[in-house]
Coordinates of all heavy atoms in Angstrom, one line a residue:
M1 N 76.3 -37.0 29.9 CA 75.9 -37.6 31.2 C 75.0 -38.7 30.9 O 74.2 -38.7 30.0 CB 75.2 -36.5 32.0 CG 74.8 -36.9 33.3 SD 74.1 -35.5 34.2 CE 73.2 -36.3 35.5
S2 N 75.0 -39.7 31.8 CA 74.1 -40.8 31.6 C 73.5 -41.2 33.0 O 74.2 -41.0 34.0 CB 74.7 -42.0 31.0 OG 75.7 -42.5 31.9
L3 N 72.3 -41.7 33.0 CA 71.7 -42.1 34.3 C 71.3 -43.6 34.2 O 70.8 -44.0 33.1 CB 70.4 -41.3 34.5 CG 70.6 -39.8 34.7 CD1 69.2 -39.1 34.7 CD2 71.3 -39.5 36.0
D4 N 71.5 -44.3 35.2 CA 71.0 -45.7 35.3 C 69.6 -45.7 35.9 O 69.5 -45.5 37.1 CB 72.0 -46.5 36.1 CG 73.3 -46.7 35.5 OD1 73.4 -46.7 34.2 OD2 74.3 -46.7 36.2
I5 N 68.6 -46.0 35.1 CA 67.2 -46.1 35.5 C 66.7 -47.4 35.1 O 67.2 -48.0 34.2 CB 66.4 -44.9 35.0 CG1 66.4 -44.9 33.5 CG2 66.9 -43.6 35.6 CD1 65.4 -43.9 32.9
S6 N 65.6 -47.8 35.8 CA 65.0 -49.1 35.4 C 64.3 -49.0 34.1 O 64.0 -47.9 33.6 CB 64.0 -49.5 36.5 OG 62.9 -48.6 36.5
S7 N 64.1 -50.2 33.5 CA 63.4 -50.2 32.2 C 62.0 -49.7 32.3 O 61.4 -49.1 31.4 CB 63.4 -51.6 31.6 OG 62.9 -52.5 32.5
T8 N 61.4 -49.9 33.5 CA 60.0 -49.5 33.7 C 59.9 -47.9 33.7 O 59.1 -47.3 33.1 CB 59.5 -50.0 35.1 OG1 59.6 -51.4 35.1 CG2 58.0 -49.6 35.3
T9 N 60.9 -47.3 34.4 CA 61.0 -45.9 34.5 C 61.3 -45.3 33.1 O 60.7 -44.3 32.7 CB 62.1 -45.4 35.5 OG1 61.8 -46.0 36.7 CG2 62.1 -43.9 35.6
E10 N 62.1 -45.9 32.4 CA 62.4 -45.5 31.0 C 61.2 -45.6 30.1 O 60.9 -44.6 29.3 CB 63.6 -46.3 30.4 CG 64.0 -45.9 29.1 CD 65.2 -46.7 28.5 OE1 65.6 -47.6 29.2 OE2 65.6 -46.4 27.4
A11 N 60.4 -46.6 30.3 CA 59.2 -46.8 29.5 C 58.2 -45.7 29.8 O 57.5 -45.1 29.0 CB 58.6 -48.2 29.6
R12 N 58.1 -45.4 31.1 CA 57.1 -44.3 31.6 C 57.6 -43.0 31.0 O 56.7 -42.2 30.6 CB 57.1 -44.3 33.1 CG 56.3 -45.5 33.7 CD 56.3 -45.5 35.2 NE 55.7 -44.3 35.7 CZ 55.9 -43.7 36.9 NH1 56.8 -44.3 37.7 NH2 55.3 -42.6 37.2
L13 N 58.9 -42.7 31.0 CA 59.4 -41.4 30.5 C 59.1 -41.4 29.0 O 58.6 -40.3 28.5 CB 60.9 -41.3 30.7 CG 61.3 -40.7 32.0 CD1 62.8 -40.9 32.2 CD2 60.9 -39.3 32.2
A14 N 59.3 -42.4 28.3 CA 59.0 -42.4 26.9 C 57.6 -42.2 26.6 O 57.2 -41.5 25.7 CB 59.5 -43.7 26.2
A15 N 56.7 -42.9 27.3 CA 55.3 -42.8 27.1 C 54.8 -41.3 27.4 O 54.0 -40.8 26.7 CB 54.5 -43.8 28.0
R16 N 55.3 -40.8 28.5 CA 54.9 -39.4 28.9 C 55.4 -38.4 27.9 O 54.7 -37.5 27.5 CB 55.4 -39.1 30.3 CG 55.0 -37.8 30.8 CD 53.6 -37.7 31.1 NE 53.3 -36.4 31.7 CZ 52.1 -35.8 31.6 NH1 51.2 -36.3 30.9 NH2 52.0 -34.6 32.1
S17 N 56.6 -38.6 27.4 CA 57.2 -37.6 26.4 C 56.4 -37.7 25.1 O 56.2 -36.7 24.4 CB 58.6 -37.9 26.2 OG 58.9 -39.1 25.6
Q18 N 56.0 -38.9 24.7 CA 55.2 -39.1 23.5 C 53.8 -38.5 23.6 O 53.3 -37.9 22.7 CB 55.0 -40.6 23.2 CG 54.4 -40.9 21.8 CD 54.5 -42.4 21.5 OE1 54.6 -43.2 22.4 NE2 54.3 -42.7 20.2
E19 N 53.2 -38.6 24.8 CA 51.9 -37.9 25.1 C 52.0 -36.4 24.9 O 51.1 -35.8 24.3 CB 51.4 -38.2 26.5 CG 50.8 -39.5 26.8 CD 50.5 -39.6 28.3 OE1 50.3 -38.6 29.0 OE2 50.4 -40.8 28.8
L20 N 53.1 -35.8 25.4 CA 53.2 -34.4 25.3 C 53.8 -33.9 24.0 O 53.9 -32.7 23.7 CB 54.1 -33.9 26.5 CG 53.5 -34.2 27.9 CD1 54.6 -33.8 28.9 CD2 52.3 -33.4 28.0
G21 N 54.3 -34.9 23.2 CA 54.9 -34.5 21.9 C 56.3 -33.9 22.0 O 56.7 -33.1 21.3
L22 N 57.0 -34.4 23.1 CA 58.3 -33.9 23.3 C 59.4 -35.0 23.3 O 59.0 -36.2 23.4 CB 58.4 -33.2 24.8 CG 57.5 -32.1 25.1 CD1 57.5 -31.8 26.6 CD2 58.0 -30.9 24.3
S23 N 60.6 -34.6 23.1 CA 61.7 -35.6 23.3 C 61.9 -35.9 24.8 O 61.4 -35.1 25.6 CB 63.0 -35.1 22.6 OG 63.5 -34.1 23.4
I24 N 62.5 -37.0 25.1 CA 62.7 -37.3 26.5 C 63.6 -36.2 27.1 O 63.4 -35.8 28.3 CB 63.4 -38.7 26.6 CG1 62.3 -39.8 26.2 CG2 63.8 -39.0 28.1 CD1 62.8 -41.2 26.2
D25 N 64.6 -35.8 26.4 CA 65.5 -34.7 26.9 C 64.7 -33.4 27.2 O 64.9 -32.8 28.3 CB 66.6 -34.4 25.9 CG 67.6 -35.4 25.8 OD1 67.8 -36.2 26.8 OD2 68.3 -35.5 24.8
A26 N 63.8 -33.1 26.3 CA 63.0 -31.9 26.5 C 62.0 -32.1 27.7 O 61.8 -31.1 28.5 CB 62.2 -31.6 25.3
L27 N 61.5 -33.3 27.9 CA 60.6 -33.5 29.0 C 61.4 -33.4 30.3 O 60.9 -32.8 31.3 CB 60.0 -34.9 28.9 CG 59.1 -35.4 30.1 CD1 57.9 -34.5 30.3 CD2 58.7 -36.8 29.9
L28 N 62.5 -34.0 30.4 CA 63.4 -33.9 31.6 C 63.8 -32.5 31.9 O 63.7 -32.1 33.0 CB 64.6 -34.8 31.5 CG 64.3 -36.3 31.5 CD1 65.6 -37.1 31.2 CD2 63.7 -36.8 32.8
E29 N 64.1 -31.7 30.9 CA 64.4 -30.3 31.0 C 63.2 -29.6 31.6 O 63.4 -28.7 32.5 CB 64.9 -29.7 29.7 CG 65.4 -28.3 29.8 CD 66.7 -28.2 30.4 OE1 67.5 -29.1 30.4 OE2 67.0 -27.1 31.0
R30 N 62.1 -29.8 31.0 CA 60.8 -29.2 31.5 C 60.6 -29.5 33.0 O 60.2 -28.7 33.8 CB 59.7 -29.6 30.7 CG 58.4 -28.9 31.1 CD 57.2 -29.5 30.4 NE 56.9 -28.7 29.2 CZ 55.9 -28.9 28.4 NH1 55.0 -29.8 28.7 NH2 55.8 -28.2 27.3
L31 N 60.7 -30.8 33.3 CA 60.5 -31.2 34.7 C 61.5 -30.5 35.7 O 61.1 -30.2 36.8 CB 60.6 -32.7 34.9 CG 59.4 -33.5 34.2 CD1 59.7 -35.0 34.3 CD2 58.1 -33.2 34.9
L32 N 62.7 -30.4 35.3 CA 63.7 -29.8 36.1 C 63.5 -28.3 36.3 O 63.7 -27.7 37.3 CB 65.1 -30.1 35.6 CG 65.6 -31.5 35.8 CD1 66.9 -31.7 35.1 CD2 65.6 -31.9 37.3
N33 N 63.0 -27.6 35.2 CA 62.9 -26.2 35.2 C 61.5 -25.7 35.7 O 61.4 -24.6 36.1 CB 63.1 -25.6 33.8 CG 64.6 -25.7 33.4 OD1 65.5 -25.7 34.3 ND2 64.9 -25.8 32.2
D34 N 60.5 -26.6 35.5 CA 59.1 -26.2 35.8 C 58.8 -26.5 37.3 O 58.7 -27.6 37.7 CB 58.2 -27.0 34.9 CG 56.9 -26.2 34.7 OD1 56.8 -25.0 35.0 OD2 56.0 -26.8 34.1
D35 N 58.7 -25.4 38.1 CA 58.5 -25.6 39.5 C 57.1 -26.2 39.8 O 56.8 -26.9 40.8 CB 58.6 -24.3 40.3 CG 60.1 -23.9 40.4 OD1 60.9 -24.8 40.3 OD2 60.3 -22.7 40.7
G36 N 56.1 -25.9 38.9 CA 54.7 -26.3 39.1 C 54.6 -27.8 39.2 O 53.9 -28.3 40.1
D37 N 55.2 -28.5 38.3 CA 55.1 -30.0 38.2 C 55.8 -30.6 39.5 O 55.3 -31.5 40.0 CB 55.7 -30.6 37.0 CG 54.9 -30.3 35.7 OD1 53.7 -30.0 35.9 OD2 55.4 -30.5 34.6
L38 N 56.9 -30.1 39.8 CA 57.6 -30.7 41.0 C 56.9 -30.4 42.3 O 56.9 -31.2 43.2 CB 59.1 -30.2 41.0 CG 60.0 -30.6 39.8 CD1 61.3 -30.0 39.9 CD2 60.1 -32.1 39.7
K39 N 56.4 -29.2 42.4 CA 55.6 -28.9 43.6 C 54.4 -29.7 43.8 O 54.0 -30.1 44.9 CB 55.3 -27.4 43.7 CG 56.5 -26.5 44.0 CD 56.1 -25.1 44.0 CE 57.3 -24.2 44.3 NZ 57.0 -22.8 44.2
A40 N 53.7 -30.0 42.6 CA 52.5 -30.8 42.7 C 52.8 -32.2 43.2 O 52.0 -32.7 44.0 CB 51.8 -30.8 41.3
N41 N 53.9 -32.7 42.8 CA 54.3 -34.1 43.2 C 54.7 -34.0 44.7 O 54.5 -35.0 45.4 CB 55.4 -34.6 42.4 CG 55.0 -34.9 41.0 OD1 53.8 -35.1 40.7 ND2 55.9 -35.0 40.0
A42 N 55.3 -33.0 45.1 CA 55.8 -32.9 46.5 C 54.6 -32.8 47.5 O 54.6 -33.3 48.6 CB 56.7 -31.7 46.7
T43 N 53.5 -32.1 47.1 CA 52.4 -32.0 48.0 C 51.6 -33.2 48.0 O 50.9 -33.5 49.0 CB 51.4 -30.8 47.5 OG1 51.1 -31.0 46.2 CG2 52.2 -29.4 47.7
A44 N 51.7 -34.0 46.9 CA 50.9 -35.3 46.9 C 51.5 -36.3 47.9 O 50.8 -37.2 48.4 CB 51.0 -35.9 45.5
T45 N 52.8 -36.1 48.2 CA 53.4 -37.1 49.2 C 53.6 -36.5 50.6 O 54.3 -37.0 51.4 CB 54.8 -37.5 48.7 OG1 55.6 -36.3 48.5 CG2 54.8 -38.2 47.4
K46 N 52.8 -35.4 50.8 CA 52.8 -34.8 52.1 C 52.3 -35.7 53.2 O 51.4 -36.5 53.0 CB 52.0 -33.5 52.1 CG 52.2 -32.6 53.2 CD 51.4 -31.3 53.0 CE 52.2 -30.1 53.3 NZ 51.4 -28.9 53.2
I47 N 52.9 -35.7 54.4 CA 52.5 -36.6 55.5 C 51.1 -36.1 56.0 O 51.0 -34.9 56.3 CB 53.6 -36.5 56.6 CG1 54.9 -37.0 56.1 CG2 53.1 -37.3 57.8 CD1 56.0 -36.9 57.0
P48 N 50.2 -37.0 56.1 CA 48.9 -36.6 56.6 C 48.9 -36.3 58.1 O 49.7 -36.7 58.8 CB 48.0 -37.9 56.4 CG 49.0 -39.0 56.4 CD 50.3 -38.4 55.8
K49 N 48.0 -35.3 58.5 CA 48.0 -34.9 59.8 C 47.2 -36.0 60.6 O 46.1 -36.4 60.2 CB 47.3 -33.6 59.9 CG 47.4 -32.9 61.2 CD 46.8 -31.5 61.2 CE 47.0 -30.9 62.6 NZ 46.6 -29.5 62.6
L50 N 47.7 -36.4 61.7 CA 47.1 -37.4 62.6 C 46.2 -36.8 63.6 O 46.4 -35.7 64.1 CB 48.2 -38.2 63.3 CG 49.1 -39.0 62.4 CD1 50.2 -39.6 63.3 CD2 48.4 -40.0 61.6
P51 N 45.1 -37.4 63.9 CA 44.2 -36.9 64.9 C 44.8 -36.9 66.3 O 45.6 -37.7 66.6 CB 43.0 -37.8 64.9 CG 43.5 -39.1 64.4 CD 44.6 -38.7 63.4
V52 N 44.5 -35.9 67.1 CA 45.0 -35.7 68.5 C 43.9 -36.2 69.4 O 42.8 -35.8 69.3 CB 45.4 -34.3 68.7 CG1 45.9 -34.1 70.1 CG2 46.5 -33.9 67.7
R53 N 44.3 -37.0 70.4 CA 43.3 -37.4 71.4 C 43.7 -36.8 72.7 O 44.8 -36.8 73.1 CB 43.3 -38.9 71.5 CG 42.8 -39.6 70.2 CD 42.7 -41.0 70.4 NE 42.2 -41.6 69.1 CZ 41.3 -42.5 69.0 NH1 40.7 -42.9 70.1 NH2 40.9 -43.0 67.9
Y54 N 42.7 -36.4 73.5 CA 42.9 -35.9 74.8 C 42.8 -37.1 75.8 O 41.8 -37.8 75.8 CB 41.9 -34.8 75.2 CG 42.0 -34.3 76.6 CD1 43.1 -33.5 76.9 CD2 41.1 -34.6 77.5 CE1 43.3 -33.0 78.2 CE2 41.3 -34.1 78.8 CZ 42.3 -33.3 79.1 OH 42.5 -32.9 80.4
L55 N 43.9 -37.3 76.5 CA 43.9 -38.5 77.4 C 43.7 -38.1 78.9 O 43.9 -38.9 79.8 CB 45.2 -39.2 77.2 CG 45.5 -39.8 75.8 CD1 46.9 -40.4 75.8 CD2 44.4 -40.8 75.5
G56 N 43.4 -36.8 79.1 CA 43.2 -36.4 80.4 C 44.4 -35.9 81.1 O 45.5 -35.8 80.4
V57 N 44.4 -35.5 82.3 CA 45.5 -35.0 83.0 C 46.4 -36.1 83.5 O 45.9 -37.1 84.0 CB 45.0 -34.1 84.2 CG1 46.2 -33.6 85.0 CG2 44.1 -33.0 83.8
R58 N 47.7 -36.0 83.2 CA 48.6 -37.0 83.6 C 49.7 -36.4 84.4 O 50.2 -35.3 84.2 CB 49.3 -37.7 82.3 CG 48.4 -38.3 81.4 CD 48.1 -39.7 81.9 NE 47.1 -40.3 81.0 CZ 46.6 -41.5 81.2 NH1 47.1 -42.2 82.2 NH2 45.8 -42.0 80.4
G59 N 50.2 -37.1 85.4 CA 51.3 -36.7 86.2 C 52.6 -37.0 85.6 O 52.6 -37.6 84.5
S60 N 53.7 -36.7 86.2 CA 55.0 -37.0 85.7 C 55.3 -38.5 85.8 O 54.8 -39.2 86.7 CB 56.1 -36.2 86.3 OG 56.0 -36.4 87.7
L61 N 56.0 -39.0 84.9 CA 56.4 -40.4 84.9 C 57.7 -40.6 85.6 O 58.7 -39.9 85.3 CB 56.5 -40.9 83.4 CG 56.6 -42.4 83.2 CD1 55.4 -43.2 83.7 CD2 56.8 -42.7 81.7
H62 N 57.7 -41.6 86.5 CA 58.9 -41.8 87.3 C 59.4 -43.2 87.0 O 58.7 -44.1 86.5 CB 58.6 -41.7 88.8 CG 58.2 -40.4 89.2 ND1 59.1 -39.3 89.4 CD2 57.0 -39.9 89.5 CE1 58.4 -38.3 89.8 NE2 57.1 -38.6 89.8
R63 N 60.7 -43.5 87.3 CA 61.3 -44.8 87.0 C 60.6 -45.8 87.8 O 60.4 -46.9 87.3 CB 62.8 -44.7 87.4 CG 63.5 -46.0 87.2 CD 65.0 -45.9 87.6 NE 65.6 -47.2 87.5 CZ 66.1 -47.8 86.4 NH1 65.9 -47.2 85.3 NH2 66.7 -49.0 86.5
R64 N 60.1 -45.5 89.0 CA 59.5 -46.5 89.9 C 58.1 -47.0 89.2 O 57.6 -48.0 89.5 CB 59.2 -46.0 91.2 CG 58.3 -44.8 91.3 CD 58.1 -44.4 92.8 NE 57.2 -43.2 92.8 CZ 57.7 -41.9 92.8 NH1 59.0 -41.7 92.8 NH2 56.9 -40.9 92.8
D65 N 57.6 -46.1 88.3 CA 56.3 -46.5 87.7 C 56.6 -47.5 86.6 O 55.6 -48.2 86.1 CB 55.7 -45.3 87.0 CG 55.3 -44.2 88.1 OD1 55.0 -44.7 89.3 OD2 55.3 -43.0 87.8
I66 N 57.8 -47.6 86.1 CA 58.1 -48.5 85.0 C 58.8 -49.8 85.4 O 58.5 -50.9 85.0 CB 59.0 -47.7 83.9 CG1 58.2 -46.5 83.4 CG2 59.3 -48.6 82.8 CD1 59.1 -45.6 82.6
Y67 N 59.9 -49.6 86.3 CA 60.7 -50.7 86.6 C 60.5 -51.1 88.1 O 60.1 -50.3 88.9 CB 62.2 -50.3 86.5 CG 62.6 -50.0 85.1 CD1 62.7 -48.6 84.7 CD2 62.7 -50.9 84.1 CE1 63.1 -48.3 83.4 CE2 63.0 -50.6 82.8 CZ 63.2 -49.3 82.4 OH 63.5 -49.0 81.2
D68 N 60.7 -52.4 88.3 CA 60.5 -53.0 89.7 C 61.7 -52.9 90.5 O 61.7 -53.3 91.7 CB 60.0 -54.4 89.6 CG 58.6 -54.5 89.0 OD1 57.8 -53.6 89.2 OD2 58.3 -55.6 88.4
D69 N 62.9 -52.5 90.0 CA 64.1 -52.5 90.7 C 64.3 -51.4 91.7 O 65.2 -51.4 92.5 CB 65.3 -52.6 89.7 CG 65.4 -51.3 88.9 OD1 64.5 -50.5 88.9 OD2 66.5 -51.2 88.2
V70 N 63.4 -50.4 91.6 CA 63.5 -49.3 92.5 C 62.6 -49.5 93.7 O 61.4 -49.8 93.6 CB 63.1 -48.0 91.8 CG1 63.2 -46.8 92.8 CG2 64.0 -47.8 90.6
G71 N 63.1 -49.3 94.9 CA 62.3 -49.7 96.1 C 61.7 -48.6 96.8 O 61.4 -47.6 96.9

């Protein structure tokens, strides 16, 4: 099997595997099998919670409130 990846990604994989003292195949196998590393990356990209503002009591919105064509 082969994957088409950018040269930047390939260089990052090689550097990371060298840091850990593993081959690139072993590093990829570890990343695929190790839930801890993948879950840590998933939580880092979690969508931040937005603040909620209270705008007071609002009535229902009608077409006549938006468009002028209703008489």
